[in-house]
PDB file of all heavy atoms in Angstrom:
ATOM      1  N   VAL A 393     114.600  77.285  93.771  1.00  0.00           N
ATOM      2  CA  VAL A 393     114.979  76.086  94.528  1.00  0.00           C
ATOM      3  C   VAL A 393     113.817  75.637  95.411  1.00  0.00           C
ATOM      4  O   VAL A 393     113.541  74.436  95.543  1.00  0.00           O
ATOM      5  CB  VAL A 393     116.234  76.369  95.369  1.00  0.00           C
ATOM      6  CG1 VAL A 393     116.588  75.150  96.222  1.00  0.00           C
ATOM      7  CG2 VAL A 393     117.400  76.735  94.473  1.00  0.00           C
ATOM      8  N   THR A 394     113.107  76.587  96.013  1.00  0.00           N
ATOM      9  CA  THR A 394     111.938  76.246  96.831  1.00  0.00           C
ATOM     10  C   THR A 394     110.863  75.575  95.995  1.00  0.00           C
ATOM     11  O   THR A 394     110.265  74.575  96.415  1.00  0.00           O
ATOM     12  CB  THR A 394     111.383  77.511  97.508  1.00  0.00           C
ATOM     13  OG1 THR A 394     112.397  78.091  98.328  1.00  0.00           O
ATOM     14  CG2 THR A 394     110.166  77.190  98.355  1.00  0.00           C
ATOM     15  N   ILE A 395     110.602  76.110  94.810  1.00  0.00           N
ATOM     16  CA  ILE A 395     109.601  75.512  93.918  1.00  0.00           C
ATOM     17  C   ILE A 395     110.004  74.093  93.549  1.00  0.00           C
ATOM     18  O   ILE A 395     109.178  73.168  93.565  1.00  0.00           O
ATOM     19  CB  ILE A 395     109.427  76.370  92.655  1.00  0.00           C
ATOM     20  CG1 ILE A 395     108.953  77.777  93.016  1.00  0.00           C
ATOM     21  CG2 ILE A 395     108.451  75.713  91.684  1.00  0.00           C
ATOM     22  CD1 ILE A 395     107.601  77.836  93.655  1.00  0.00           C
ATOM     23  N   ARG A 396     111.286  73.912  93.256  1.00  0.00           N
ATOM     24  CA  ARG A 396     111.770  72.588  92.838  1.00  0.00           C
ATOM     25  C   ARG A 396     111.643  71.575  93.979  1.00  0.00           C
ATOM     26  O   ARG A 396     111.218  70.426  93.763  1.00  0.00           O
ATOM     27  CB  ARG A 396     113.221  72.704  92.368  1.00  0.00           C
ATOM     28  CG  ARG A 396     113.748  71.455  91.668  1.00  0.00           C
ATOM     29  CD  ARG A 396     115.153  71.682  91.149  1.00  0.00           C
ATOM     30  NE  ARG A 396     115.186  72.752  90.187  1.00  0.00           N
ATOM     31  CZ  ARG A 396     115.881  73.885  90.343  1.00  0.00           C
ATOM     32  NH1 ARG A 396     116.588  74.073  91.443  1.00  0.00           N
ATOM     33  NH2 ARG A 396     115.881  74.812  89.407  1.00  0.00           N
ATOM     34  N   ASN A 397     111.997  71.963  95.183  1.00  0.00           N
ATOM     35  CA  ASN A 397     111.916  71.048  96.324  1.00  0.00           C
ATOM     36  C   ASN A 397     110.469  70.676  96.649  1.00  0.00           C
ATOM     37  O   ASN A 397     110.142  69.506  96.873  1.00  0.00           O
ATOM     38  CB  ASN A 397     112.578  71.664  97.546  1.00  0.00           C
ATOM     39  CG  ASN A 397     114.077  71.817  97.373  1.00  0.00           C
ATOM     40  OD1 ASN A 397     114.704  71.095  96.588  1.00  0.00           O
ATOM     41  ND2 ASN A 397     114.672  72.747  98.099  1.00  0.00           N
ATOM     42  N   ARG A 398     109.589  71.710  96.704  1.00  0.00           N
ATOM     43  CA  ARG A 398     108.181  71.427  97.004  1.00  0.00           C
ATOM     44  C   ARG A 398     107.557  70.600  95.882  1.00  0.00           C
ATOM     45  O   ARG A 398     106.684  69.771  96.120  1.00  0.00           O
ATOM     46  CB  ARG A 398     107.402  72.731  97.185  1.00  0.00           C
ATOM     47  CG  ARG A 398     107.873  73.652  98.280  1.00  0.00           C
ATOM     48  CD  ARG A 398     107.656  73.070  99.660  1.00  0.00           C
ATOM     49  NE  ARG A 398     108.763  72.213 100.058  1.00  0.00           N
ATOM     50  CZ  ARG A 398     109.930  72.679 100.511  1.00  0.00           C
ATOM     51  NH1 ARG A 398     110.151  73.985 100.590  1.00  0.00           N
ATOM     52  NH2 ARG A 398     110.878  71.844 100.864  1.00  0.00           N
ATOM     53  N   TYR A 399     108.003  70.828  94.662  1.00  0.00           N
ATOM     54  CA  TYR A 399     107.477  70.077  93.507  1.00  0.00           C
ATOM     55  C   TYR A 399     107.807  68.593  93.634  1.00  0.00           C
ATOM     56  O   TYR A 399     106.938  67.730  93.427  1.00  0.00           O
ATOM     57  CB  TYR A 399     108.060  70.667  92.224  1.00  0.00           C
ATOM     58  CG  TYR A 399     107.841  69.827  90.986  1.00  0.00           C
ATOM     59  CD1 TYR A 399     106.600  69.809  90.348  1.00  0.00           C
ATOM     60  CD2 TYR A 399     108.866  69.051  90.460  1.00  0.00           C
ATOM     61  CE1 TYR A 399     106.400  69.040  89.218  1.00  0.00           C
ATOM     62  CE2 TYR A 399     108.670  68.286  89.334  1.00  0.00           C
ATOM     63  CZ  TYR A 399     107.435  68.271  88.706  1.00  0.00           C
ATOM     64  OH  TYR A 399     107.234  67.500  87.591  1.00  0.00           O
ATOM     65  N   GLN A 400     109.053  68.294  93.988  1.00  0.00           N
ATOM     66  CA  GLN A 400     109.458  66.883  94.134  1.00  0.00           C
ATOM     67  C   GLN A 400     108.671  66.209  95.258  1.00  0.00           C
ATOM     68  O   GLN A 400     108.241  65.049  95.133  1.00  0.00           O
ATOM     69  CB  GLN A 400     110.967  66.806  94.417  1.00  0.00           C
ATOM     70  CG  GLN A 400     111.842  67.278  93.268  1.00  0.00           C
ATOM     71  CD  GLN A 400     111.719  66.378  92.048  1.00  0.00           C
ATOM     72  OE1 GLN A 400     111.354  65.190  92.145  1.00  0.00           O
ATOM     73  NE2 GLN A 400     112.037  66.921  90.878  1.00  0.00           N
ATOM     74  N   GLU A 401     108.456  66.897  96.360  1.00  0.00           N
ATOM     75  CA  GLU A 401     107.692  66.327  97.473  1.00  0.00           C
ATOM     76  C   GLU A 401     106.248  66.058  97.075  1.00  0.00           C
ATOM     77  O   GLU A 401     105.683  65.008  97.405  1.00  0.00           O
ATOM     78  CB  GLU A 401     107.744  67.274  98.675  1.00  0.00           C
ATOM     79  CG  GLU A 401     109.136  67.461  99.250  1.00  0.00           C
ATOM     80  CD  GLU A 401     109.186  68.582 100.261  1.00  0.00           C
ATOM     81  OE1 GLU A 401     108.166  69.304 100.403  1.00  0.00           O
ATOM     82  OE2 GLU A 401     110.233  68.756 100.906  1.00  0.00           O
ATOM     83  N   GLN A 402     105.652  66.999  96.351  1.00  0.00           N
ATOM     84  CA  GLN A 402     104.257  66.828  95.954  1.00  0.00           C
ATOM     85  C   GLN A 402     104.102  65.737  94.911  1.00  0.00           C
ATOM     86  O   GLN A 402     103.086  65.015  94.902  1.00  0.00           O
ATOM     87  CB  GLN A 402     103.700  68.156  95.439  1.00  0.00           C
ATOM     88  CG  GLN A 402     103.544  69.210  96.523  1.00  0.00           C
ATOM     89  CD  GLN A 402     103.077  70.544  95.979  1.00  0.00           C
ATOM     90  OE1 GLN A 402     102.876  70.702  94.768  1.00  0.00           O
ATOM     91  NE2 GLN A 402     102.921  71.517  96.864  1.00  0.00           N
ATOM     92  N   VAL A 403     105.070  65.569  94.019  1.00  0.00           N
ATOM     93  CA  VAL A 403     105.013  64.494  93.024  1.00  0.00           C
ATOM     94  C   VAL A 403     104.990  63.141  93.720  1.00  0.00           C
ATOM     95  O   VAL A 403     104.207  62.243  93.363  1.00  0.00           O
ATOM     96  CB  VAL A 403     106.199  64.592  92.055  1.00  0.00           C
ATOM     97  CG1 VAL A 403     106.337  63.309  91.234  1.00  0.00           C
ATOM     98  CG2 VAL A 403     106.024  65.779  91.121  1.00  0.00           C
ATOM     99  N   GLU A 404     105.838  62.970  94.734  1.00  0.00           N
ATOM    100  CA  GLU A 404     105.884  61.705  95.456  1.00  0.00           C
ATOM    101  C   GLU A 404     104.560  61.424  96.171  1.00  0.00           C
ATOM    102  O   GLU A 404     104.043  60.301  96.135  1.00  0.00           O
ATOM    103  CB  GLU A 404     107.024  61.730  96.469  1.00  0.00           C
ATOM    104  CG  GLU A 404     108.409  61.809  95.827  1.00  0.00           C
ATOM    105  CD  GLU A 404     109.511  61.898  96.867  1.00  0.00           C
ATOM    106  OE1 GLU A 404     109.165  61.889  98.077  1.00  0.00           O
ATOM    107  OE2 GLU A 404     110.686  61.981  96.476  1.00  0.00           O
TER     108      GLU A 404
END
Side-chain angles (χ1 to χ4, degrees):
V393 177
T394 301
I395 299 296
R396 191 176 299 118
N397 293 335
R398 301 293 86 79
Y399 168 77
Q400 294 295 336
E401 296 170 352
Q402 291 176 359
V403 167
E404 295 177 0

